[in-house]
Amino acid sequence: MFMKMVSWNVNGLRACVNKGFNDYFEKTKADIFCVQETKLQEGQISLDHGEDYTQYWNYAVKKGYSGTAVFTRIKPLSVRYGIEEDEEPEGRIITLEFEAFYLVTVYTPNAKRDLSRLPYRLQWEDRFRSYLQQLDAIKPVVVCGDLNVAHHEIDLKNAKGNQNNSGFTLEERGKMTQLLEAGFVDTFRYVYPDRSDAYTWWSNMPGVRARNVGWRIDYFLASSRLGSSIVDAQIDCDILGSDHCPVILNLDFSAIEQSEG
């Protein structure tokens, strides 16, 4: 079974819809399309992508903040919001269970410019990693979203100038390392281990995106045993509409079935 997945931090879905979101959505023909930072409350938008897609939304309690959504052609066996039920006021996680795998879309908390939220962020990372490991013990996991960290120096333009800045602290990078060592792969680096100047987020400062002074902080991660199923991992850096761009993962689950057979 071949599957195409797309993930995009839209930085406000209503604004992104006015900048071409629906056209891009239709063009991708994704089996699963995940969105982060919707900044919506229930009833504030109506998206109709036909009967092919079922929609799942996790809204933040705070208005105009955070939030995630998933549009899927394949009906899940179950859906879960947050790490613990009724525990996540910021709407950061949706988990869909399918027959062959779990899909988790996530908007990881930002440590803030002054790092005031770093302690919370690190505790959250430990809980999230434990949650993914629990899922992974049952069946393989695909994780996508804005993880708010550039893992290695190759993953941002100005590594030296951003040492210990939010999103590139040793602590945040260390948590990403721990997550990968817990049995997951960064699918883009799995396919393109040495590709530089590949970014998914750019500051809104004038000229920054045109000069490609960016960070790669949006990811598709997958259980290590899905490695043989990864066909390609892409960054749609030319797509505007947000300060982030979409990332894409193509999987061929028949490769797993053949290897297991």
Side-chain angles (χ1 to χ4, degrees):
M1 178 178 63
F2 182 86
M3 188 172 294
K4 181 178 184 179
M5 306 180 195
V6 177
S7 176
W8 193 5
N9 179 322
V10 294
N11 190 20
L13 185 54
R14 285 174 292 180
C16 195
V17 164
N18 292 330
K19 299 174 183 177
F21 174 84
N22 288 326
D23 290 339
Y24 179 74
F25 187 103
E26 297 297 333
K27 179 182 176 182
T28 63
K29 301 186 185 305
D31 296 293
I32 302 173
F33 197 115
C34 299
V35 177
Q36 303 87 42
E37 209 171 357
T38 56
K39 297 183 176 179
L40 286 170
Q41 307 303 122
E42 186 172 5
Q44 287 189 309
I45 198 169
S46 178
L47 295 181
D48 183 8
H49 293 291
E51 297 179 357
D52 287 347
Y53 288 96
T54 305
Q55 306 178 17
Y56 300 94
W57 299 79
N58 195 2
Y59 305 102
V61 173
K62 182 179 177 181
K63 292 182 178 181
Y65 181 74
S66 190
T68 48
V70 181
F71 304 82
T72 175
R73 293 180 188 268
I74 308 159
K75 190 164 184 177
L77 302 177
S78 66
V79 182
R80 181 172 180 170
Y81 302 94
I83 296 176
E84 284 93 28
E85 295 291 343
D86 302 321
E87 161 275 337
E88 197 214 357
E90 296 185 356
R92 293 186 177 275
I93 299 172
I94 303 175
T95 303
L96 273 57
E97 178 186 4
F98 299 101
E99 184 175 352
F101 68 104
Y102 288 102
L103 183 282
V104 180
T105 191
V106 60
Y107 177 40
T108 298
N110 191 302
K112 291 193 174 181
R113 183 180 294 272
D114 62 359
L115 301 182
S116 60
R117 218 182 186 200
L118 181 60
Y120 170 79
R121 160 76 180 263
L122 299 179
Q123 293 174 358
W124 189 95
E125 292 271 12
D126 289 337
R127 292 174 55 232
F128 186 58
R129 183 177 66 255
S130 176
Y131 174 63
L132 296 181
Q133 288 179 287
Q134 291 171 31
L135 297 178
D136 189 49
I138 301 170
K139 62 180 72 174
V141 181
V142 175
V143 184
C144 69
D146 177 0
L147 301 189
N148 259 318
V149 61
H151 189 204
H152 295 299
E153 291 190 358
I154 194 175
D155 295 315
L156 73 167
K157 190 69 170 183
N158 183 12
K160 289 184 179 179
N162 283 290
Q163 295 288 341
N164 294 318
N165 283 346
S166 175
F168 199 59
T169 64
L170 291 175
E171 293 90 343
E172 291 165 300
R173 295 166 65 193
K175 291 301 181 184
M176 173 64 97
T177 297
Q178 285 183 304
L179 177 54
L180 297 179
E181 289 178 347
F184 298 90
V185 295
D186 173 351
T187 61
F188 183 80
R189 287 294 170 222
Y190 186 91
V191 180
Y192 305 107
D194 302 316
R195 181 171 290 182
S196 59
D197 298 321
Y199 309 126
T200 67
W201 174 82
W202 301 262
S203 163
N204 285 320
M205 293 177 63
V208 167
R209 188 158 184 173
R211 291 183 286 117
N212 196 28
V213 181
W215 298 47
R216 190 174 72 94
I217 61 176
D218 301 86
Y219 297 80
F220 268 101
L221 308 182
S223 295
S224 298
R225 60 191 184 279
L226 290 179
S228 62
S229 73
I230 299 172
V231 177
D232 198 9
Q234 304 161 2
I235 297 175
D236 249 349
C237 59
D238 294 329
I239 300 301
L240 305 178
S242 169
D243 52 352
H244 297 249
C245 74
V247 292
I248 302 170
L249 178 64
N250 294 315
L251 294 175
D252 183 359
F253 283 96
S254 63
I256 303 175
E257 294 165 3
Q258 292 170 7
S259 65
E260 291 178 347

